[in-house]
Amino acid sequence: MGISPIRRNTLAVSTPAHQRDLTNGPVAKTLFVFALPSLGVNILQSLNHSVNSVWIGQFLGEEALAASANAGLIMFLMFSTLFGFTMATTILIGQNMGRRDIESVRRIMGTAFGIFFVAGVVFAAAGWIFAPHMLRLMATSESVYPLALSYLRVIFLTMPATFVMILISSSLRGVGDSVTPFWNTVLNVVLDIILNPIFILGWGPIPAMGIAGSALATILAGVVSLGLLLRKVYALDLTIRLRGDELKWLRPDPRYLKPIARMGLPMGLSMIIMSGSAVVMIGLVNLEGVNTTAAFGVMNQLWSYVQMPAVAVGAAVSAMVAQNIGANKWDRVSHIVWSGIGINLLMSGVLIAMMTYFASPLLGLFLPNDSPAIPLAIHINHIVGWSFVLMGVSVVVTFAVRANGAVVAPLLILIFSAVLVRFSVGFGLYDRFGADAIWSSFIATSIASCILSIAYYLHGGWKKAKAMPSMAAVPLQAMPE
């Protein structure tokens, strides 16, 4: 006789101090507090990249800095693909956490952990072998190539640990804990910043390793922080941990693997499309000369901070919506989405206003005070800057509908807005309006994306989508191990 399905939902589990129940309490306050640590993670990661670039540039020179930039492009593409599968796992964990189906949460975690670790090993081996070919495809200059190859190959060795750490951090957010990933990121960033100059220049018995030392510092920081994160997961008996017989769930289960792949592929593809669209537009910017390219490059650095609230709030909305869908509390879903939009409008609006008001001193951090690129950058920001408010709305709404497994429509909206609309305006009007056609293409993209995303949220069929059917009603004896 089958075991009662009720048992699946009544597994004993303690509620850690940092884990929030996202299905109860005031929506706006819960969302804001839950999103803040994720915003902190984004800021810390950007600062870490900037500081490491300073170490490399100051100690090793322009060629080493160019080498790390070339390697960074390859890694960004790789993590863009990983992003989709990470988000899919978080959504599935969130929905089952909303149902209080702790066993399914752990089964999903086991399947994802097994796949992510194996994928990390495969990527590390393939990256080590094919790194020369990837750099050649990017037309890396001969003076930079040896440094880029050394850096990239060492960085590839971090893949197993990095993939697993990203998975654990994202899964913790799925169960309502955004604080633990934040403190783990603080540790990772501090270690990486401290170890970089030590391994680049050498210290005591540690030899000077140059740019390979920077990569090795990243490996050590990642391994140490991952080890301590795993220790915390088990020491505090966090919800996603696997013990005893549960360890057999590390063998991927097709019932959980299929929805991860079904949602992960379109979401990963969306990141690749966004990156590819930006690269194509940079080619058009380059036609305007070095000053325009420098101005646009610096503004991109500043705009990256403006976009951080949207990404953090969007991720929080996704986890919160997923849990409430799992708990069948659809009345809260709409409140969550509109609260997320409001919070993002406020945060992004303040950042854009501050960036516009303090444009000159901010640009002076990157460019000489008499640089002709500064007035160009100010002009670009006046045209494009406000559009990030609209883009933030699109991000929040897209994260929300994905939380129910609706991933194809957001991908089609992205293709239409970031490819068809952007290229039509940018290339189609370039001969007549020059650089202003390029900046206008970003505005057109934001407007199209915002309108279509809201229209799909209000009138589309995303509520009928299913990230994954509930496994709570399936008797355990009917489930193959």
Side-chain angles (χ1 to χ4, degrees):
M1 185 171 64
I3 297 175
S4 170
I6 297 176
R7 180 180 176 274
R8 294 179 57 81
N9 289 323
T10 56
L11 291 176
V13 59
S14 59
T15 302
H18 297 315
Q19 185 170 306
R20 292 180 171 273
D21 180 359
L22 303 180
T23 63
N24 291 297
V27 169
K29 179 182 178 182
T30 300
L31 178 63
F32 180 72
V33 173
F34 184 64
L36 278 182
S38 296
L39 177 59
V41 167
N42 294 339
I43 294 172
L44 284 170
Q45 289 174 339
S46 293
L47 289 174
N48 185 37
H49 175 73
S50 299
V51 172
N52 286 348
S53 295
V54 169
W55 290 140
I56 293 172
Q58 291 294 327
F59 295 149
L60 302 175
E62 292 83 352
E63 289 184 347
L65 191 59
S68 68
N70 275 265
L73 288 173
I74 294 174
M75 303 311 296
F76 178 78
L77 180 62
M78 188 175 304
F79 286 120
S80 294
T81 305
L82 178 68
F83 165 83
F85 298 99
T86 305
M87 282 298 302
T89 302
T90 305
I91 289 167
L92 294 177
I93 286 177
Q95 286 202 3
N96 282 282
M97 190 67 195
R99 297 180 186 119
R100 300 300 184 264
D101 186 354
I102 304 303
E103 180 176 327
S104 285
V105 168
R106 291 175 179 164
R107 284 176 176 265
I108 293 165
M109 187 64 196
T111 291
F113 192 101
I115 291 298
F116 273 56
F117 181 76
V118 171
V121 172
V122 171
F123 271 76
W128 183 277
I129 295 169
F130 295 108
H133 306 283
M134 288 185 276
L135 291 172
R136 293 298 185 195
L137 284 174
M138 292 174 59
T140 305
S141 68
E142 290 301 323
S143 60
V144 170
Y145 175 84
L147 294 172
L149 180 60
S150 175
Y151 183 82
L152 186 59
R153 275 185 159 166
V154 178
I155 283 292
F156 265 114
L157 296 178
T158 69
M159 292 299 97
T162 301
F163 278 25
V164 169
M165 185 158 62
I166 290 173
L167 171 66
I168 293 174
S169 297
S170 185
S171 299
L172 284 170
R173 295 186 189 100
V175 298
D177 182 0
S178 60
V179 175
T180 299
F182 170 75
W183 286 114
N184 185 66
T185 302
V186 171
L187 173 65
N188 191 309
V189 168
V190 170
L191 283 175
D192 199 11
I193 290 174
I194 292 174
L195 292 175
N196 251 271
I198 293 175
F199 284 95
I200 289 174
L201 299 176
W203 183 69
I206 300 173
M209 291 180 254
I211 194 169
S214 177
L216 181 58
T218 299
I219 289 180
L220 290 177
V223 169
V224 170
S225 56
L226 173 60
L228 292 176
L229 178 60
L230 284 170
R231 181 179 180 277
K232 188 169 187 176
V233 166
Y234 282 89
L236 299 180
D237 198 37
L238 302 186
T239 306
I240 61 171
R241 62 95 181 119
L242 302 176
R243 295 184 189 274
D245 288 343
E246 295 170 339
L247 293 173
K248 65 178 175 288
W249 297 338
L250 291 171
R251 184 178 64 199
D253 185 331
R255 293 167 305 160
Y256 302 106
L257 185 57
K258 286 179 181 178
I260 290 174
R262 179 182 62 80
M263 292 190 294
L265 285 171
M267 287 192 283
L269 183 58
S270 69
M271 291 291 291
I272 295 173
I273 290 171
M274 284 192 292
S275 302
S277 174
V279 168
V280 172
M281 294 308 295
I282 288 174
L284 198 57
V285 172
N286 288 338
L287 296 177
E288 290 296 305
V290 65
N291 287 326
T292 301
T293 301
F296 183 70
V298 171
M299 285 314 308
N300 264 326
Q301 288 273 340
L302 296 175
W303 288 334
S304 68
Y305 289 93
V306 172
Q307 296 174 75
M308 286 180 186
V311 175
V313 173
V317 165
S318 180
M320 202 164 173
V321 167
Q323 283 201 19
N324 281 272
I325 290 175
N328 201 30
K329 293 186 176 183
W330 283 95
D331 56 315
R332 285 172 58 89
V333 169
S334 178
H335 194 182
I336 293 167
V337 175
W338 292 111
S339 295
I341 290 173
I343 292 169
N344 176 68
L345 287 174
L346 178 62
M347 296 173 73
S348 298
V350 169
L351 286 175
I352 291 168
M354 292 176 62
M355 182 177 298
T356 301
Y357 187 78
F358 296 106
S360 293
L362 287 172
L363 292 168
L365 296 173
F366 298 89
L367 298 164
N369 291 330
D370 59 349
S371 171
I374 289 181
L376 286 172
I378 292 174
H379 173 70
I380 294 170
N381 185 57
H382 282 162
I383 297 176
V384 179
W386 66 271
S387 69
F388 286 101
V389 173
L390 298 180
M391 187 58 69
V393 173
S394 303
V395 170
V396 171
V397 173
T398 297
F399 272 73
V401 299
R402 283 173 174 169
N404 198 38
V407 293
V408 175
L411 176 63
L412 295 177
I413 290 172
L414 175 67
I415 293 172
F416 177 78
S417 58
V419 178
L420 295 178
V421 172
R422 180 175 290 177
F423 291 177
S424 296
V425 174
F427 287 92
L429 301 179
Y430 181 73
D431 289 340
R432 183 174 180 182
F433 296 103
D436 282 349
I438 304 174
W439 322 138
S440 298
S441 73
F442 288 97
I443 297 175
T445 296
S446 298
I447 293 174
S449 179
C450 184
I451 292 174
L452 291 174
S453 296
I454 291 179
Y456 178 66
Y457 172 74
L458 293 175
H459 305 293
W462 69 275
K463 291 184 179 180
K464 298 178 182 178
K466 292 290 183 183
M468 189 184 109
S470 173
M471 304 300 291
V474 181
L476 290 183
Q477 283 188 354
M479 295 184 184
E481 298 296 344

